[in-house]
Amino acid sequence: MATPRAPPQAAVPGGGAGAAAGGVTMRMFHGDVFLGEAEVFPMKQGAEGSLPFPSNEIRISHLSPTSERCPPLAILQTIAPFSVRCKLQAKLMPPHPSLHRLYLTCFNEYKSAVVVVGDEELHLVAMPSKVEKVPCFWCCSVRSGIYAASVGMLNLRCLAIVFDLDETLIVANTMKSFEDRIEMLSRRMDIEDDPVRIAGMSAEIKRYIEDRELLKEFIDTDTVTDNGRIVGTQKEEVLPISGGQERVLRPVIRLPERNAILTRINPEVRDTSVFVKLRPAWEDLRSYLTAKGRKRFEVYVCTMAERDYALEMWRLLDPEANLISSHNLAERVVCVKSGSKKCLQNVFKDKGCHPKMAMVIDDRLQVWDEKDQLRVHVVPAYTPYYAPQAEMANAVPVLCVARNVACNVRGGFFREFDENLLRKVFELMYENELLDLPYAPDVGDYLVCEDTNFAPNNKDVAPIPEGMSGAEVGKRLNGLAYPRDQKQIPSSTRLSDDDGVALRGIPGGTNIQSNGGSLATTPSLFVTVLQEIGRLCESRVEFRSTVSSGKNMQFSVEVLFSNEKIGIGIGKTRDEAQVLAAEKALQNLESNYLSFMAPVAGVLNKDVNKPPGSGNGFLEDITLSEDISMEEPSGSTLKEQDHSKALDRLSSVISLIRELVRDAAAALIFHFSVLINCLEDQHVVFRDQVRDSGSALNGEYHFQAELGGQILGRGIGLNKDFAKLQAAEEALKTLKTTTDPQIKKHLRPMQQLNFPLYPTQRHRETV
């Protein structure tokens, strides 16, 4: 339960500093019951400040649902940021008893009074005031119906997750699609000269033929022969969806060892039989979504497939209707016309969720509306025929990675909601300004985009599409041939932002990327911290990578921060190039930060006197079309920053770093550099305990800090920098508390060491 706000205490009557001067008197009603008169103050002057109430009266239709832990203003700021249209307060003192009762009910029970105007709801939020016993409200506008749905989700700490079907969770084929794919591969083999590729295509055709024969047997006999064992059908009842339908029994054969299911869309028409392969680890992801009966996500489906097919595929994935109940199925399974863009606004047309509170799992990014792409976690396309071992060859299967990403997204979203938004909302008073409202979290903040732009060279042959999708489904199930365009290999894969929640040390909690259908894990401190910086300053971090077509086959990765290039890495693998690019980006950020922080913090950095290069101030070795000059802020500038600046999209990376001085990720990077430099100034030596062998012990790195031959601290980590940082922290504590004269005689004045370690324990846990 959230901490109650303080009741109104004594300030200045009127709309407060945030409201335009000059109030308008309006009569207030709850239904037909007169509540009294109120003075209404628009938030802006001029045409933009026109009041939202028709006929110059305020007629409340109903009260919002009770919120158990979240005050209405926190909910409204999450789903409709900075939507305060006006302020209003009782005109007469003492106020009309009915108005006073309404105010106390809304204030104490976390309700809002709702005025309906067309398809918009105006929520009157009871606010505490500095003026004693004055009923006063902020009026916020939001799309009709979305508030009621969001109350429950935010109180239950629940988000929404939207799944694509084909090549994301399943691959399905009919007899016709099997035959088309076999024919397509056969034509490719006829013109192929490379014996290795011919062997690969031959094995792929064999897998198609094997499953096609199982499907044919199912069509003919309602049985299949699996490894010499005859398996018969089971009649599975299809639960009626809302609106009612006749009872349907479908013949189904489940082959769990093959991760496959055979079903018949229309039980009366054998040619509508489908062979379905389920993506491995679906059960792990499904179990997370429903673990211990706690609803972590509201589940939706958005697909370009035909509706009857989509409903049956989802039934196979969720046979007990634990993820989507039968009465919600009609609204939760959304079918988009093939060739159209998917859009979260259309997915939630029943107003069941706000797009800011939803994440998407899909194998293609570009099928989504551009404004929703930041909320998409892109998974490699499921290719069980082209690369049957790709899913299980990784340490963590693709859908387990998606589970970890979902876990981190949810943890990061509600940590921001609880620790920032809720706390600051409880401090707001009626007299505050609009710009005093805190930033509201967005699911997109916790998904980091990687644009791979991988272009195969002339020796690479893309796999053919393995299942049906879009308009093809309806054609196939009606027995019609349909020439299908090749489905593009996913060009983007989002990286999960390790946000300090569960599943630490598992991919999805560090750094996952698509790489030719397989996943590579990169437990790099540099990548993790860079992602955290992007999240904290509400900015997009992109890793754009390409591969050369030359003999060396080197990968090049560029890091873009708010569309500014701040780092480049080149390596033999995409992982290596990405880590190098992230390290370079952090070095550039660190160098620029320390250069203007030195006068303020008294920090001496070895590279601060380095002359500025061309370009954007971060990439000295990159020539850009024009120079971007940077202004060095003074110490007073840093101290005088106003909260309202958080509302503006920061225009340069320098101002981004300035905003991050007090945040965890920046504290980690800059604390590391400053601490190491200060200790080295004290003649502290850092020794790599495995420097002779040149390799880590058991995958770990061991460092110790020494002064005059005495060990001051030790550090262990999976990363050299992290191990060195641990040793440095322990050494600093020793130096600040030691009474050993043998150590003290080596020390210079300690004023440079008087700065804190991590701001909070949570910041350490972020790493």
Side-chain angles (χ1 to χ4, degrees):
M1 187 73 175
T3 306
R5 292 170 293 177
Q9 303 287 328
V12 197
V24 177
T25 301
M26 293 189 184
R27 290 160 58 86
M28 289 186 67
F29 299 86
H30 188 174
D32 294 326
V33 178
F34 178 67
L35 300 178
E37 292 186 330
E39 287 284 328
V40 183
F41 302 87
M43 294 302 294
K44 299 178 181 179
Q45 296 183 3
E48 292 183 354
S50 59
L51 297 175
F53 304 107
S55 305
N56 276 344
E57 70 175 21
I58 303 168
R59 193 169 293 272
I60 298 166
S61 65
H62 62 280
L63 300 185
S64 70
T66 301
S67 175
E68 295 180 2
R69 61 196 299 179
C70 306
L73 186 59
I75 297 170
L76 289 162
Q77 179 65 1
T78 300
I79 61 178
F82 307 101
S83 63
V84 183
R85 300 282 296 278
C86 60
K87 298 181 179 182
L88 56 105
Q89 64 182 36
K91 181 177 182 179
L92 300 178
M93 292 297 294
H96 192 289
S98 297
L99 179 56
H100 190 61
R101 281 194 299 271
L102 173 71
Y103 172 79
L104 291 178
T105 297
C106 292
F107 189 89
N108 293 324
E109 298 180 17
Y110 284 176
K111 294 181 178 180
S112 62
V114 183
V115 178
V116 178
V117 181
D119 60 353
E120 180 184 43
E121 291 177 353
L122 303 175
H123 287 256
L124 307 184
V125 179
M127 298 291 294
S129 172
K130 298 176 183 178
V131 178
E132 188 177 1
K133 297 180 180 178
V134 178
C136 49
F137 302 82
W138 281 13
C139 173
C140 304
S141 63
V142 67
R143 189 162 55 96
S144 178
I146 195 69
Y147 180 92
S150 302
V151 169
M153 292 181 66
L154 290 173
N155 278 287
L156 292 173
R157 296 299 187 259
C158 179
L159 298 176
I161 189 166
V162 182
F163 288 108
D164 174 48
L165 290 176
D166 294 293
E167 298 190 41
T168 297
L169 300 181
I170 56 112
V171 164
N173 280 287
T174 62
M175 286 295 294
K176 186 67 171 70
S177 66
F178 271 138
E179 291 162 1
D180 287 351
R181 280 144 182 77
I182 292 170
E183 181 184 354
M184 188 184 304
L185 279 169
S186 298
R187 288 200 304 267
R188 281 192 179 184
M189 287 180 62
D190 290 341
I191 60 174
E192 181 59 61
D193 296 327
D194 189 333
V196 175
R197 287 208 166 87
I198 291 175
M201 292 180 190
S202 177
E204 189 175 354
I205 289 176
K206 182 179 178 181
R207 289 188 282 270
Y208 275 118
I209 291 175
E210 183 179 351
D211 286 349
R212 183 192 64 179
E213 293 307 308
L214 289 175
L215 180 59
K216 185 177 187 305
E217 187 178 0
F218 173 68
I219 293 172
D220 294 340
T221 67
D222 280 344
T223 64
V224 298
T225 304
D226 183 28
N227 293 326
R229 178 174 58 97
I230 297 177
V231 183
T233 59
Q234 299 291 326
K235 298 294 185 182
E236 294 188 0
E237 182 177 1
V238 180
L239 296 175
I241 61 176
S242 60
Q245 66 180 40
E246 295 182 2
R247 183 169 179 263
V248 175
L249 291 175
R250 280 203 177 98
V252 174
I253 296 178
R254 295 180 180 266
L255 303 174
E257 297 83 2
R258 291 177 175 267
N259 240 23
I261 304 176
L262 295 98
T263 186
R264 195 164 294 147
I265 306 300
N266 184 341
E268 306 301 323
V269 181
R270 290 182 176 268
D271 285 344
T272 63
S273 298
V274 182
F275 189 97
V276 184
K277 278 190 172 289
L278 305 184
R279 191 162 205 162
W282 163 247
E283 288 300 322
D284 293 292
L285 176 54
R286 185 175 71 171
S287 297
Y288 164 72
L289 297 174
T290 60
K292 299 179 182 179
R294 181 180 180 183
K295 183 172 286 189
R296 295 184 170 103
F297 286 86
E298 294 285 356
V299 178
Y300 292 77
V301 174
C302 185
T303 176
M304 293 183 178
E306 187 267 339
R307 185 162 184 78
D308 287 344
Y309 163 86
L311 289 170
E312 174 62 2
M313 294 304 103
W314 182 253
R315 188 191 70 82
L316 298 177
L317 291 163
D318 185 27
E320 297 177 356
N322 290 327
L323 299 182
I324 303 178
S325 64
S326 58
H327 71 273
N328 284 333
L329 201 58
E331 294 77 28
R332 296 284 183 98
V333 177
V334 178
C335 296
V336 179
K337 184 179 179 181
S338 182
S340 302
K341 287 283 189 179
K342 296 179 180 180
C343 174
L344 286 175
Q345 198 74 49
N346 293 334
V347 172
F348 304 130
K349 58 182 179 294
D350 64 341
K351 302 168 185 174
C353 180
H354 193 281
K356 289 181 59 178
M357 296 167 59
M359 68 173 292
V360 176
I361 307 291
D362 204 324
D363 67 301
R364 293 186 293 175
L365 180 66
Q366 299 305 321
V367 298
W368 284 91
D369 190 282
E370 186 175 355
K371 67 177 180 294
D372 293 326
Q373 290 182 8
L374 76 165
R375 303 181 182 103
V376 180
H377 172 64
V378 184
V379 297
Y382 180 35
T383 56
Y385 296 98
Y386 174 74
Q389 303 303 321
E391 294 286 317
M392 305 312 295
N394 301 287
V396 181
V398 170
L399 293 187
C400 285
V401 174
R403 174 199 64 192
N404 298 346
V405 170
C407 178
N408 288 337
V409 165
R410 179 173 172 270
F413 183 97
F414 284 109
R415 179 165 37 257
E416 177 72 18
F417 184 86
D418 290 338
E419 297 180 6
N420 179 49
L421 188 142
L422 268 186
R423 180 178 60 82
K424 293 181 179 178
V425 162
F426 281 123
E427 298 171 356
L428 292 176
M429 307 289 282
Y430 171 76
E431 290 77 15
N432 276 101
E433 300 182 15
L434 178 65
L435 295 182
D436 293 327
L437 282 165
Y439 170 77
D442 187 314
V443 159
D445 297 340
Y446 310 100
L447 289 167
V448 183
C449 179
E450 180 199 9
D451 183 7
T452 58
N453 288 326
F454 178 74
N457 60 29
N458 55 6
K459 291 187 178 182
D460 292 320
V461 180
I464 64 172
E466 302 212 346
M468 304 178 295
S469 68
E472 180 187 16
V473 173
K475 301 288 187 180
R476 297 288 190 208
L477 297 179
N478 288 321
L480 300 176
Y482 186 81
R484 177 173 182 253
D485 293 333
Q486 287 195 6
K487 190 171 185 179
Q488 296 297 316
I489 299 173
S491 60
S492 302
T493 300
R494 290 200 171 275
L495 305 176
S496 80
D497 187 357
D498 185 356
D499 215 73
V501 295
L503 307 169
R504 195 159 301 286
I506 301 177
T510 52
N511 175 23
I512 307 301
Q513 67 180 24
S514 172
N515 188 0
S518 63
L519 292 177
T521 62
T522 310
S524 165
L525 179 65
F526 304 121
V527 174
T528 301
V529 171
L530 192 59
Q531 292 171 7
E532 179 71 3
I533 291 177
R535 183 189 71 78
L536 288 170
C537 54
E538 311 156 32
S539 297
R540 184 167 179 159
V541 176
E542 293 181 83
F543 293 88
R544 293 185 178 175
S545 64
T546 58
V547 60
S548 68
S549 58
K551 296 181 180 180
N552 294 333
M553 284 294 291
Q554 285 191 316
F555 290 84
S556 174
V557 174
E558 300 175 348
V559 181
L560 274 72
F561 198 103
S562 292
N563 294 322
E564 287 196 47
K565 191 183 301 181
I566 62 170
I568 293 178
I570 298 175
K572 295 180 180 178
T573 67
R574 187 177 288 111
D575 288 342
E576 179 184 354
Q578 183 187 48
V579 172
L580 293 173
E583 181 180 8
K584 181 65 175 177
L586 292 177
Q587 289 172 352
N588 288 326
L589 294 178
E590 174 193 10
S591 175
N592 281 275
Y593 169 79
L594 291 175
S595 69
F596 69 74
M597 278 299 293
V600 179
V603 175
L604 297 177
N605 184 29
K606 298 176 182 179
D607 296 323
V608 294
N609 295 322
K610 185 178 179 180
S614 62
N616 62 0
F618 294 97
L619 292 181
E620 311 303 336
D621 55 340
I622 301 299
T623 303
L624 300 179
S625 58
E626 57 183 14
D627 291 346
I628 301 176
S629 62
M630 295 186 300
E631 180 179 342
E632 183 175 353
S634 67
S636 60
T637 302
L638 291 171
K639 297 178 183 177
E640 295 171 1
Q641 282 192 16
D642 190 83
H643 175 71
S644 63
K645 290 184 179 180
L647 304 177
D648 300 324
R649 193 53 77 166
L650 302 180
S651 60
S652 70
V653 178
I654 286 297
S655 59
L656 286 173
I657 298 302
R658 191 187 313 148
E659 284 290 307
L660 283 170
V661 170
R662 64 181 182 276
D663 288 323
L668 171 65
I669 305 167
F670 309 133
H671 167 83
F672 174 82
S673 176
V674 174
L675 178 57
I676 298 299
N677 288 338
C678 287
L679 290 177
E680 288 177 345
D681 286 343
Q682 297 293 332
H683 308 294
V684 174
V685 177
F686 292 91
R687 299 194 186 280
D688 183 349
Q689 292 178 278
V690 295
R691 63 191 182 282
D692 295 334
S693 62
S695 61
L697 299 174
N698 299 322
E700 295 179 338
Y701 291 89
H702 296 243
F703 269 84
Q704 61 188 34
E706 300 177 3
L707 179 62
Q710 297 193 51
I711 298 175
L712 304 180
R714 291 186 171 90
I716 302 175
L718 297 177
N719 178 288
K720 283 186 177 180
D721 292 326
F722 195 39
K724 191 174 181 181
L725 176 58
Q726 286 185 325
E729 287 181 331
E730 190 174 325
L732 178 62
K733 292 177 183 177
T734 302
L735 290 175
K736 295 175 78 171
T737 59
T738 186
T739 58
D740 188 337
Q742 295 301 316
I743 295 179
K744 282 190 170 184
K745 71 179 183 180
H746 292 282
L747 296 181
R748 292 189 288 173
M750 295 286 290
Q751 65 270 15
Q752 286 185 326
L753 301 184
N754 291 326
F755 59 92
L757 298 181
Y758 288 92
T760 67
Q761 180 64 21
R762 179 175 71 84
H763 292 162
R764 179 191 294 276
E765 293 171 353
T766 300
V767 182

